[in-house]
Amino acid sequence: MIDKIKSYFLFFFFIASLCFGQYSWAQDKYPSKPIQLIIPWGPSGGSDQTGRLIANQLEQELKISVPVINMPGATGNIGMQKLLSDPADGQTLLLLAWDNFALLATQQPKWKIDDFINLGIVIQLPSGLYVSGDKFNNWKSFEQAAKNSPVSIAISGLGSTDDITMSYLQSKGLKINVIPYAKPGERYAALIGGHVDALYSPAGNVASFVESKQMRPIIFFSAERLNDFKDIPTSKEVGYNVTLPQRRALIIKAGTDPAKIAVISQALNKIVNLPKYKAYLKDSFASEKSYVPQSDTLVVMNQDLEEMQKILKNINK
């Protein structure tokens, strides 16, 4: 009888071990449930387009759902606060645009570089000024108008790279009133509707509006002319030493398990090399060499932050 009890006990222990072992394995597997991707801007803009493409490809690579959550406001701060208030469990990602990264130079946000890990810069592209209608023929006519009387320019938010660039132009004698819009669609509508004189935007964000001739670029803030806009001057050419690029990066909360970080980084490395993603870069007028892997991102961020601070320092002299 005792031997039978022992046998039953051992058998039960064996089955229980198998069950709990499988349960533990399932719990430890990552990812085993949806990962949310925060876009700290409204829908229809460049960050939203990039983020949704990344989310879609992550779903295919990781075989889980990656819902996109738009959280516009405060130049990206609302979305950043959401990321940093969530647990460091690998279930929340954020697409960081350099517009909200610039807050480290222009303001004193309640976060710092050490609060997140940059998994990779996924796109780099120049920004420019766009106009609509026949009020301004080119950059020279716009510049002359801005020297004589105030012009209004729609930007993404106060403290952004947009704002830094406009502050630079103001320091050079241009009379500019900046009008921030957290939602990209509102910025575009403001220009097309004649509520502002110009729009500051990364090149790829408004490609469809340019193609339909609803708006057109008059200057790009870059060192070299864009291949697709050879007739549009650069800020360097016309004597303005400001070329802050727009970059976007996938980030995760600091303190996340390195093994989980490695899973996302490896998936991201595959995504940016897909023909579909390379086609997206081309359609966005972005650099073909946009991708910066996790290991090199901190250098880029610190260099850009230093450049922003340098521009602001010179403006305030």
Side-chain angles (χ1 to χ4, degrees):
M1 184 67 179
I2 293 176
D3 289 339
K4 283 187 176 182
I5 293 173
K6 285 183 178 180
S7 297
Y8 286 137
F9 176 78
L10 290 173
F11 177 75
F12 175 78
F13 180 77
F14 174 72
I15 296 298
S17 297
L18 285 178
C19 292
F20 283 107
Q22 289 176 350
Y23 175 77
S24 176
W25 178 84
Q27 289 295 95
D28 291 340
K29 184 179 180 295
Y30 175 83
S32 58
K33 57 183 179 180
I35 297 174
Q36 62 181 339
L37 174 56
I38 298 170
I39 309 294
W41 306 97
S44 78
S47 289
D48 187 62
Q49 295 167 22
T50 304
R52 289 183 184 277
L53 177 57
I54 293 290
N56 178 266
Q57 296 303 308
L58 281 175
E59 288 182 337
Q60 296 185 41
E61 286 292 328
L62 301 177
K63 311 303 179 187
I64 46 91
S65 174
V66 182
V68 172
I69 303 173
N70 292 95
M71 300 188 70
T75 316
N77 258 333
I78 292 178
M80 183 65 81
Q81 289 169 7
K82 166 64 174 170
L83 172 73
L84 300 181
S85 64
D86 280 3
D89 57 4
Q91 299 304 135
T92 303
L93 303 171
L94 182 141
L95 191 77
L96 177 73
W98 255 227
D99 285 329
N100 44 309
F101 176 66
L103 294 178
L104 291 174
T106 59
Q107 301 179 14
Q108 293 183 329
K110 296 179 180 179
W111 51 270
K112 54 189 183 299
I113 289 179
D114 293 343
D115 290 334
F116 61 85
I117 294 169
N118 192 331
L119 301 173
I121 294 172
V122 295
I123 190 169
Q124 303 183 58
L125 64 169
S127 294
L129 279 183
Y130 295 78
V131 296
S132 183
D134 301 323
K135 187 175 181 180
F136 304 105
N137 294 324
N138 50 35
W139 168 250
K140 285 186 178 180
S141 64
F142 184 88
E143 181 185 40
Q144 188 59 50
K147 287 181 178 179
N148 295 330
S149 59
V151 294
S152 57
I153 298 180
I155 67 170
S156 62
L158 298 177
S160 63
T161 50
D162 307 25
D163 200 16
I164 294 175
T165 301
M166 294 304 102
S167 295
Y168 174 91
L169 294 180
Q170 289 169 337
S171 74
K172 299 300 180 181
L174 275 63
K175 300 173 183 177
I176 294 173
N177 293 329
V178 296
I179 303 178
Y181 294 88
K183 297 179 179 179
E186 293 178 351
R187 292 200 296 277
Y188 311 152
L191 176 62
I192 295 171
H195 305 296
V196 295
D197 295 307
L199 163 73
Y200 181 99
S201 174
N205 292 28
V206 293
S208 62
F209 296 106
V210 173
E211 290 172 2
S212 62
K213 301 187 184 305
Q214 291 178 279
M215 60 177 73
R216 65 185 189 282
I218 54 174
I219 189 172
F220 285 109
F221 297 95
S222 59
E224 299 178 353
R225 292 199 179 195
L226 277 67
N227 290 331
D228 295 275
F229 299 97
K230 286 292 188 180
D231 57 335
I232 305 301
T234 70
S235 52
K236 286 280 190 179
E237 290 176 40
V238 298
Y240 296 111
N241 189 28
V242 57
T243 58
L244 296 176
Q246 176 62 270
R247 308 189 209 272
R248 300 183 189 118
L250 193 66
I251 68 172
I252 196 168
K253 187 175 181 179
T256 302
D257 184 349
K260 294 181 177 181
I261 290 173
V263 169
I264 303 296
S265 292
Q266 289 167 11
L268 188 61
N269 186 61
K270 291 181 181 179
I271 290 168
V272 297
N273 285 295
L274 294 173
K276 182 177 183 178
Y277 196 81
K278 291 182 178 180
Y280 170 71
L281 293 180
K282 181 176 176 59
D283 292 342
S284 300
F285 311 115
S287 168
E288 294 179 359
K289 299 179 181 179
S290 284
Y291 182 56
V292 178
Q294 180 188 340
S295 57
D296 299 327
T297 54
L298 193 57
V299 172
V300 176
M301 288 192 295
N302 284 325
Q303 287 176 344
D304 283 355
L305 186 56
E306 184 179 336
E307 178 63 17
M308 293 176 196
Q309 292 169 336
K310 180 181 176 182
I311 292 170
L312 293 170
K313 183 179 179 180
N314 290 334
I315 289 173
N316 296 323
K317 278 185 177 179

